Amino acid sequence: MGANAVRISKGDDKSLRLTVVDGTGAAVDTTGWTIKFTAKTKGEASSALISKTSATPGEIDFVSPNPNNNLWDINLVPADTSSQMPGVYVYDVEATTTDATPKIHTLLVDSFTVDQDVTN
């Protein structure tokens, strides 16, 4: 597991805070960007287990106020993992800029672990 590995108990809520910085660690203004979160069984799988986008209110939210305009919350809800088998998957976070010619950047790739929940 890497530094950005995600671990969640099956059927739980979890909010993941995303801070966007450049290669030097300086904040990047992401105002208006589209952020996508995708989890799959493995990277080359054709279908997603979980798919979230900032284009859908409540799935990925731009944090405001936010002095550097670079904070996002990725909101996982019980329905995202309640039907998943416990195991280790892979996820990524991708951003599309608002430039005249939009650019796509993969911001994170790491493991996504769903643990068995004893109560549910």
Side-chain angles (χ1 to χ4, degrees):
M1 285 196 248
N4 296 299
V6 173
R7 182 169 221 120
I8 186 170
S9 290
K10 184 176 178 171
D12 279 6
D13 288 288
K14 188 169 193 127
S15 182
L16 309 172
R17 174 66 49 97
L18 173 67
T19 304
V20 183
V21 296
D22 66 17
T24 68
V28 174
D29 186 342
T30 59
T31 303
W33 287 19
T34 300
I35 305 292
K36 295 179 182 176
F37 171 94
T38 305
K40 295 182 173 185
T41 54
K42 48 189 166 184
E44 63 273 6
S46 60
S47 61
L49 299 173
I50 303 169
S51 182
K52 302 270 184 185
T53 177
S54 58
T56 302
E59 288 189 357
I60 300 178
D61 297 322
F62 185 69
V63 177
S64 181
N66 167 1
N68 295 315
N69 296 318
N70 69 331
L71 299 177
W72 296 82
D73 284 335
I74 301 166
N75 303 304
L76 300 173
V77 297
D80 292 326
T81 59
S82 61
S83 64
Q84 302 304 327
M85 294 295 296
V88 179
Y89 305 100
V90 64
Y91 83 94
D92 73 2
V93 177
E94 184 179 272
T96 303
T97 68
T98 54
D99 301 332
T101 303
K103 295 177 181 64
I104 297 173
H105 301 282
T106 300
L107 304 175
L108 295 172
V109 177
D110 212 324
S111 64
F112 183 88
T113 302
V114 177
D115 292 323
Q116 181 62 52
D117 186 75
V118 175
T119 303
N120 292 323

